[in-house]
């Protein structure tokens, strides 16, 4: 059996669950597969109504889910409540999207036949999700999968199993029996799901995502993977420095930096000393502490290992002769808390400026001009989110054209994207079609081209 514990109060066990093995996972997928045709054949309006009922169930349990999320993944109260609201909005959005046109007609070659393309579901969608958005990420996979007529087998992160159980139970109240299977466990269960499902949607780290995509390719099934980032925020000399620092501080340190879209590199063109001071001041404004407190912005990191990763990165920065501007502000003693870390004088090629640390840790890099800033911004293997701060429209346009990232934002944080807009990265951050919004239909359905000709020449 495995356990999920609270990162703020590690003595508190929130869930005990089995690490399901291949045979159990195959059974769960088989049960979902048996429920799939009935669901796919329902009128779209009935699937739409079911998703709206699921949204009502989640909305009705919002305050319990918020408490559970705060306890289990240490997400600060305001962000956790906002995530539940986002989850409800996603369910309602896909309840409507289920009623969108499901194909197109085309002129036929003979002028008499009916030629059309129509979309239909693919079967059992295997959804593998991380712990850091325990409600929104699962729902932006599960909701479109269901809306377009698929069954779902969902493997949540072991660190978010209590909230996953609660969410799955709420969704089940609105769905036919066995249409949604919850598969608990970690790597073994995830691998087994990749071997059993009809398509796989993964979100998590780059190494695991790549292995999932390779396994899916070997089976010839559709796969998408959203993975890590090393997201830059570029401050140009004409930017409103105080506002930029406020936005970047929040994007780098909010939820202890545990977002795939968190800012982890601040690239300053010009005076990096002034930018460093402004950033230190802005980070110090962010309350660090118990995620249950309404004011908290920076809570704990998820585990002891995550804490060690941040402390190691700080030691590595010092060894590399970086200058640590911020690292030892007070934090609570119980739980996996680390103080926000800001480091400057770091070489852009250093490991801590190249790889994801996934904690409240950011480096400040200096560039002589815009061209060098762009080179540094793009000089990592990831390409998820990037932002640029400037008042100059022409420079903003040049950066938006040149940044290698799936999400490009001007005078806005790298973190956060509207739930109805396409989401995904480039390079090692992403494989396969985009998630969210209308883009999700491309993944959860397959298009068939149908020709219906008259039965006689007359
Ligand atoms: P992780 O890769 O450790 O785990 C993700 C999921 O994969 C979990 O459910 C885990 O149990 C499962 N898993 C582990 N090994 C597996 C295997 N061999 N085969 C199949 N499944 C397996 O990631 P995490 O620690 O849960 O989440 C943090 C990571 O997720 C960070 O790298 C972060 O950047 C990334 N992330 C990306 C996005 C995005 O949309 N790009 C969003 C959130 C988080």
């Amino acid at each position: 059996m495995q356990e999920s514990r609270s990162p703020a109060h590690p003595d508190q066990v929130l869930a005990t669950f089995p690490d399901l093995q291949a045979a159990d996972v195959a059974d769960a997928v088989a049960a979902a597969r048996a429920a799939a045709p009935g669901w796919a054949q329902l009128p779209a309006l009935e699937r739409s109504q079911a998703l709206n009922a699921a949204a009502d169930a989640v909305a009705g349990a919002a305050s319990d889910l918020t408490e559970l999320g705060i306890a289990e993944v240490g997400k600060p109260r305001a962000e956790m409540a906002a995530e539940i609201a986002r989850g409800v909005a996603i369910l309602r959005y896909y309840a409507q999207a289920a009623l969108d046109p499901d194909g197109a007609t085309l002129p036929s070659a003979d002028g008499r036949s009916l030629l059309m393309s129509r979309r239909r579901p693919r079967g059992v969608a295997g959804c593998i999700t991380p712990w850091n958005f325990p409600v929104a990420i699962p729902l932006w996979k599960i909701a479109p999968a269901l809306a377009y007529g698929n069954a779902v087998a969902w493997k949540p992160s072991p660190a978010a199993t209590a909230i996953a159980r609660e969410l799955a139970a709420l969704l089940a109240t609105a769905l036919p029996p066995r249409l949604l299977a919850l598969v608990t466990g970690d790597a073994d269960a995830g691998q087994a799901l990749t071997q059993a499902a009809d398509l796989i949607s993964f979100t998590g780290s780059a190494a695991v995502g790549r292995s999932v995509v390779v396994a899916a390719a070997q089976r010839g099934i559709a796969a998408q993977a959203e993975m890590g980032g090393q997201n830059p925020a570029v401050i140009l000399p004409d930017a409103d420095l105080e506002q930029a620092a406020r936005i970047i501080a929040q994007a780098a340190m909010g939820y202890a930096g545990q977002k795939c879209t968190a800012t982890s590199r601040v690239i300053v063109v010009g005076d990096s000393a002034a930018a460093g001071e402004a950033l230190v001041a802005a980070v110090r404004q962010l309350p660090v502490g118990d995620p249950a407190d309404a004011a908290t912005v920076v809570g704990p990191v998820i585990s002891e290992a995550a804490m060690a990763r941040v402390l190691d990165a700080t030691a590595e920065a010092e060894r590399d002769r970086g200058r640590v501007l911020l690292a030892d502000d007070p934090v609570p003693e119980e739980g996996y808390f680390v103080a926000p870390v800001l480091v400057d004088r770091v070489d852009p090629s250093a490991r801590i400026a190249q790889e994801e640390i996934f904690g409240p840790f950011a480096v400040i890099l200096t560039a002589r001009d815009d061209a060098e800033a762009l080179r540094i911004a793009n000089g990592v293997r990831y390409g998820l989110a990037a932002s640029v701060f400037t008042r100059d429209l022409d420079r903003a346009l040049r950066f938006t054209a040149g940044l290698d990232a799936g999400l490009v934002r001007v005078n806005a944080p790298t973190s956060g994207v509207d739930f109805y807009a396409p989401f995904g990265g480039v390079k090692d951050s992403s494989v396969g079609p985009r998630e969210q919004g209308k883009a999700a239909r491309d993944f959860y359905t397959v298009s068939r081209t149908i020709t219906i000709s008259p039965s006689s020449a007359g």
Side-chain angles (χ1 to χ4, degrees):
M1 292 297 262
Q2 297 191 332
E3 279 179 348
S4 157
R5 286 172 180 266
S6 170
H9 308 287
D11 288 346
Q12 197 183 341
V13 175
L14 288 143
T16 309
F17 50 92
D19 189 0
L20 292 183
Q21 299 299 303
D24 308 309
V25 177
D27 286 350
V29 170
R33 189 171 284 119
W39 177 249
Q41 282 155 22
L42 279 183
L45 189 57
E46 287 185 36
R47 291 201 302 273
S48 170
Q49 285 162 345
L51 284 170
N52 268 323
D56 291 343
V58 174
S63 78
D64 288 352
L65 285 172
T66 302
E67 296 306 327
L68 200 49
I70 293 168
E72 193 174 33
V73 299
K75 185 167 284 197
R77 179 172 295 283
E79 279 209 52
M80 195 62 231
E83 184 178 340
I84 310 290
R86 182 187 177 110
V88 172
I90 289 168
L91 284 163
R92 294 211 195 285
Y93 175 90
Y94 285 108
Q96 282 310 112
L99 305 176
D100 283 350
D102 64 359
T105 57
L106 298 100
S108 63
D110 62 13
R112 297 188 332 132
S113 300
L114 184 56
L115 176 62
M116 57 193 163
S117 68
R118 283 197 74 186
R119 298 214 153 250
R120 72 170 184 178
R122 291 177 184 268
V124 180
C127 303
I128 302 179
T129 55
W131 49 267
N132 64 335
F133 284 86
V135 170
I137 289 180
L139 285 178
W140 83 50
K141 299 179 190 299
I142 294 170
L146 293 173
Y148 303 130
N150 300 277
V152 172
W154 169 30
K155 203 212 74 62
S157 163
T161 301
I163 192 163
R165 278 182 169 160
E166 199 56 39
L167 183 61
L170 289 163
L171 298 177
T173 61
L175 298 173
R178 291 178 291 283
L179 186 69
L180 169 65
L182 185 70
V183 173
T184 61
D186 199 357
D188 287 354
Q191 280 168 350
L193 184 55
T194 309
Q195 292 304 322
D198 300 320
L199 68 162
I200 283 284
S201 179
F202 170 90
T203 300
S205 61
V208 176
R210 192 158 284 258
S211 74
V212 166
V213 169
V214 167
Q218 276 166 347
R219 288 189 58 224
I221 61 167
Q224 67 180 184
E226 287 303 334
M227 299 168 280
Q230 235 295 357
N231 309 300
V234 180
I235 305 180
L236 298 181
D238 70 312
D240 176 335
L241 184 55
E242 227 170 88
Q243 168 157 311
R246 220 174 26 248
I247 292 173
I248 293 170
Q250 180 92 29
M253 307 298 175
Y255 189 24
Q258 300 172 110
K259 297 177 190 172
C260 53
T261 51
T263 299
S264 37
R265 293 176 297 147
V266 186
I267 303 167
V268 183
V269 176
D271 182 5
S272 74
E277 272 173 37
L279 281 162
V280 168
V283 171
R284 287 219 159 106
Q285 292 297 310
L286 305 176
V288 179
D290 189 338
D293 290 347
T296 295
V297 172
V298 186
V301 293
I302 192 71
S303 62
E304 213 163 350
M307 205 160 73
R309 220 166 39 230
V310 177
L311 299 176
D312 287 351
T314 313
E316 199 171 319
E318 281 172 325
R319 267 201 314 277
D320 289 352
R321 285 199 280 280
R323 182 173 57 164
V324 178
L325 301 176
L326 194 65
D328 42 20
D329 283 357
V331 295
E333 274 177 21
E334 188 200 355
Y336 306 131
F337 286 89
V338 272
V341 184
L342 267 178
V343 186
D344 75 354
R345 297 187 187 159
V346 172
D347 190 287
S349 66
R351 188 194 71 90
I352 55 170
Q354 289 284 319
E355 286 306 322
E356 204 180 34
I357 308 297
F358 221 60
F361 183 95
V363 299
I364 301 172
L365 309 169
T366 312
R368 277 184 304 275
D369 52 27
D370 291 17
E372 188 180 19
L374 195 56
R375 255 196 322 277
I376 295 172
N378 289 340
V380 294
R381 69 184 178 113
Y382 296 108
L384 188 54
S387 61
V388 56
F389 291 82
T390 179
R391 294 176 166 111
D392 181 329
L393 180 60
D394 289 348
R395 285 171 113 175
L397 285 169
R398 272 201 300 279
F399 271 91
T400 50
L403 283 164
D404 287 341
L407 309 163
V408 178
R409 299 166 64 88
V410 176
N411 299 319
T414 52
S415 54
V417 67
D418 305 291
F419 67 85
Y420 41 82
F423 180 89
V426 297
K427 303 199 286 192
D428 281 2
S429 291
S430 217
V431 177
R434 292 294 184 241
E435 296 200 85
Q436 295 203 145
K438 302 281 185 212
R441 186 193 282 273
D442 291 342
F443 183 67
Y444 290 103
T445 60
V446 64
S447 166
R448 294 191 310 151
T449 303
I450 300 167
T451 306
I452 303 173
S453 295
S455 62
S456 64

